[in-house]
Amino acid sequence: MKAFSRSILAAALALLTATAAQAADRAIIVLDASGSMWGQIDGKPKLEIAREALRSVLKTVPTDTELGLMAYGHHEKGSCSDIELIVPPATGSAAAITAAADSMKFLGKTPLSAAVRQAAEDLKYTEEKATVVLITDGLETCNADPCALGKELEQSGVDFTAHVVGFGLTAEEGRQVACLAENTGGKYIQASDAKALEEALVQTVAAPQPIPATEPQQEPARPEFNFVPELTMAKDGAPLKDAGNAWEIYKAKADGTKGERVTTEYGNYKGSLEPGDYVIRATLGEAAVEQPLKVEAGQSYTPLFVLDAGTLIVRPRPSEGGDIDTGAAVVIDFPGAEHPSTYYGETKVVLPAGDQKVNVTIGQGEASETIEIAAGQTVEKDIVVGVGRVVVNALYAQGGEKVEASGLDVKIYKAAKKVDGSREQVTYGFGPDGKFDLPAGDYVAVVRMDQAETEQPFNIKVGEAGEVTAVLDAGVLAIDAPGAKEIRVYSAKKDIQGNRKNFGYAYDQKHQTTLPVGEYVVEVDRGDAGKKEGTARVNAGERTELTVQ
């Protein structure tokens, strides 16, 4: 799969290089750094494959190409504004782009429309020619319309073009982002395999040869359509119209199997094929059917393709009557699939007829069902996982201030202890207002902020929304030690062996930490200038400031 992803990036960079060679414009790659890039291909995260491919492909970029890198979803989860121009467009930027990709985190959502808009604005698209290449492995998740954005940028730009490279998108998903490219006169490349990418680049990247001004340009005669296929879900079913299906057309090998790809088209397609033997593959959702076609000169063909498929609509709910959970993972293991497919929230997908194994996960709860779908049938199914939701927070002191720091550490354990006295950890999270979806039962929340930790038992029922508030009985100690090389915090009281308990350290002149109520000794090491100590008392819910000169 490394060659596959490398071809994706090669496609993107070839588009940029070809465009820059014709018009010397600047261009920006918009890279999907959302959490879905942690998905694995052949046991390896997609983000690692992409990094390796970037490192290799960028070596081939001409030195005079002005190229920049923008990313989204690389700083935080759940943010639709997490977009950054990491490397501004410049010549010789390959090394900077490689370094940026190697250090990038892949965390958040997919605000692809906003990212393309920002890239266009950074390129001053209303004043200068501008090109953006979007590389995405997912669809828009921030309530924006990529199709409308394409039209807007085309109308307001001087000469704006967006190309879109679909990183493993299905044909149906590709249709939802292809319009962004098509509405700006750009190209959409659906990367279903490495060979497809190569052939797509031949069609989209090759610069047109100029025709001498002395020779009049003649518009070629438009051939009549000789291939008008139709697609149905079931035998004797009505032909589908504007269903978002794809038509993959291949030359046939001598043994009748698929050979060289000719083209991929969508929806209500009408085309003209040269005489010869072909294999036509029709896909919709996760269903596909293919059949041979022999084209002879002067003949027309209207073949019917029967998917033998139905539509499954899954609505994941935490409890009976509960709202649909938009973050639920819906994994479908359908007949003939090499690997299960994962969707999120309410899921509507076309699947081959047969038994569908569906597993739904909401937080730490799971539910599985086998659902039978007949050809042409639409089955709607609510799958109830059976969880309740608890929101966990911490207070420094009873009735005191809430802990708002992102470093708040929350671990959820089953309340029942094992034979050895330990508890089974169920899940964990960070920061305030942590939300946990849990099956009914008794649990313990272990909440920690720096050096202060406490436990809070709780019970959750299916469909219940609860709150857990843990009281740390702690305060904050802020230390200022000018010239310090190291600061260490110890308990003031020594144990029976004469040792003090260590409560953390910092290699800095300032140190702030949350500590349980009590007396402390602060040791400051200034290297050659020697060590010095200070003492402080930390009270619950209070801030104590200590300066050690």
Side-chain angles (χ1 to χ4, degrees):
M1 293 305 298
K2 184 184 293 184
F4 165 64
S5 294
R6 185 171 296 166
S7 297
I8 293 173
L9 294 165
L13 295 172
L15 285 167
L16 292 171
T17 304
T19 307
Q22 296 175 49
D25 64 317
R26 297 189 304 156
I28 291 176
I29 295 175
V30 176
L31 180 60
D32 184 344
S34 63
S36 60
M37 289 288 282
W38 280 102
Q40 294 190 353
I41 298 176
D42 288 347
K44 190 169 189 178
K46 287 184 285 185
L47 61 93
E48 291 297 338
I49 299 172
R51 284 170 173 165
E52 291 178 5
L54 263 177
R55 194 177 300 114
S56 174
V57 174
L58 284 171
K59 295 177 182 178
T60 66
V61 177
T63 57
D64 60 349
T65 299
E66 289 192 50
L67 189 61
L69 176 68
M70 176 173 286
Y72 56 78
H74 58 302
H75 283 310
E76 56 184 306
K77 297 180 180 179
S79 173
C80 289
S81 60
D82 184 10
I83 302 167
E84 180 184 9
L85 179 63
I86 301 175
V87 179
T91 58
S93 60
I97 293 175
T98 298
D102 285 347
S103 61
M104 191 178 298
K105 295 181 179 179
F106 293 75
L107 299 170
K109 303 190 77 171
T110 307
L112 63 87
S113 300
V116 170
R117 181 190 295 278
Q118 183 171 318
E121 292 173 351
D122 288 342
L123 291 168
K124 299 180 179 179
Y125 79 107
T126 60
E127 304 171 22
E128 303 173 12
K129 178 178 174 64
T131 300
V132 172
V133 171
L134 168 66
I135 304 173
T136 179
D137 80 327
L139 302 180
E140 175 70 53
T141 61
C142 287
N143 298 320
D145 184 350
C147 302
L149 174 66
K151 292 179 182 178
E152 177 188 339
L153 296 178
E154 175 67 15
Q155 291 172 359
S156 56
V158 171
D159 187 359
F160 178 79
T161 304
H163 302 297
V164 179
V165 179
F167 192 157
L169 298 179
T170 65
E172 185 173 356
E173 290 170 335
R175 185 176 177 85
Q176 297 181 49
V177 292
C179 55
L180 172 59
E182 293 164 356
N183 288 347
T184 65
K187 302 295 182 183
Y188 172 70
I189 299 175
Q190 181 169 314
S192 57
D193 54 51
K195 182 66 175 176
L197 273 175
E198 294 173 7
E199 294 169 357
L201 290 177
V202 170
Q203 299 176 43
T204 58
V205 177
Q209 298 298 318
I211 299 176
T214 55
E215 297 182 14
Q217 299 183 23
Q218 296 182 357
E219 185 176 341
R222 185 176 182 179
E224 293 183 356
F225 298 128
N226 67 353
F227 177 57
V228 184
E230 289 190 331
L231 182 67
T232 66
M233 297 284 280
K235 185 179 179 180
D236 300 327
L240 300 175
K241 301 296 182 184
D242 298 318
N245 60 288
W247 300 100
E248 299 172 10
I249 303 175
Y250 302 84
K251 290 287 185 67
K253 295 181 180 179
D255 61 0
T257 59
K258 294 193 297 288
E260 178 184 2
R261 182 191 294 264
V262 177
T263 186
T264 298
E265 305 292 344
Y266 300 92
N268 303 331
Y269 171 62
K270 297 179 181 180
S272 184
L273 300 179
E274 297 293 329
D277 293 319
Y278 298 86
V279 174
I280 315 297
R281 178 179 171 85
T283 63
L284 179 59
E286 301 290 357
V289 60
E290 62 181 52
Q291 60 190 53
L293 177 68
K294 185 177 184 63
V295 175
E296 297 181 350
Q299 300 296 313
S300 296
Y301 302 88
T302 57
L304 178 65
F305 291 76
V306 180
L307 277 173
D308 191 28
T311 301
L312 175 62
I313 300 174
V314 175
R315 300 187 182 94
R317 300 185 188 274
S319 59
E320 290 287 352
D323 293 337
I324 296 172
D325 192 301
T326 57
V330 180
V331 180
I332 303 176
D333 191 359
F334 52 90
E338 294 183 8
H339 306 285
S341 293
T342 302
Y343 304 85
Y344 294 92
E346 183 171 4
T347 298
K348 180 178 181 181
V349 60
V350 174
L351 298 165
D355 289 339
Q356 317 297 330
K357 297 177 181 178
V358 182
N359 185 81
V360 176
T361 302
I362 299 177
Q364 302 308 305
E366 289 189 23
S368 297
E369 292 196 28
T370 298
I371 304 170
E372 183 179 0
I373 297 180
Q377 181 184 28
T378 296
V379 175
E380 301 186 34
K381 183 70 175 178
D382 284 8
I383 296 184
V384 177
V385 175
V387 294
R389 170 167 290 185
V390 64
V391 178
V392 179
N393 279 298
L395 304 179
Y396 288 104
Q398 187 68 49
E401 187 176 332
K402 175 182 171 182
V403 179
E404 297 284 2
S406 60
L408 183 68
D409 183 309
V410 179
K411 292 182 174 67
I412 307 296
Y413 295 85
K414 289 185 177 180
K417 292 183 178 180
K418 301 178 184 178
V419 174
D420 63 3
S422 65
R423 293 188 174 106
E424 178 183 347
Q425 183 174 331
V426 177
T427 185
Y428 65 92
F430 299 96
D433 301 312
K435 298 179 178 63
F436 302 93
D437 294 304
L438 302 166
D442 295 318
Y443 298 90
V444 173
V446 177
V447 181
R448 182 182 181 89
M449 183 63 205
D450 296 334
Q451 302 299 319
E453 181 177 288
T454 189
E455 295 185 0
Q456 182 63 51
F458 66 94
N459 174 271
I460 192 72
K461 296 180 175 62
V462 172
E464 181 180 73
E467 294 185 4
V468 172
T469 302
V471 179
L472 290 171
D473 193 28
V476 173
L477 176 60
I479 305 163
D480 186 5
K485 296 182 180 298
E486 181 180 1
I487 298 172
R488 287 187 176 272
V489 181
Y490 298 93
S491 63
K493 185 178 179 180
K494 296 180 179 179
D495 63 19
I496 196 170
Q497 299 295 329
N499 299 316
R500 295 188 177 109
K501 183 179 179 181
N502 190 337
F503 278 86
Y505 60 90
Y507 295 105
D508 201 347
Q509 299 181 66
K510 294 180 182 293
H511 179 45
Q512 178 171 301
T513 184
T514 303
L515 296 165
V517 170
E519 303 286 344
Y520 294 89
V521 172
V522 177
E523 181 184 85
V524 175
D525 188 347
R526 292 187 171 90
D528 293 340
K531 297 180 180 180
K532 193 170 183 180
E533 290 187 353
T535 61
R537 174 170 178 79
V538 173
N539 297 316
E542 296 181 8
R543 177 182 179 85
T544 301
E545 296 185 349
L546 173 67
T547 300
V548 181
Q549 297 290 351

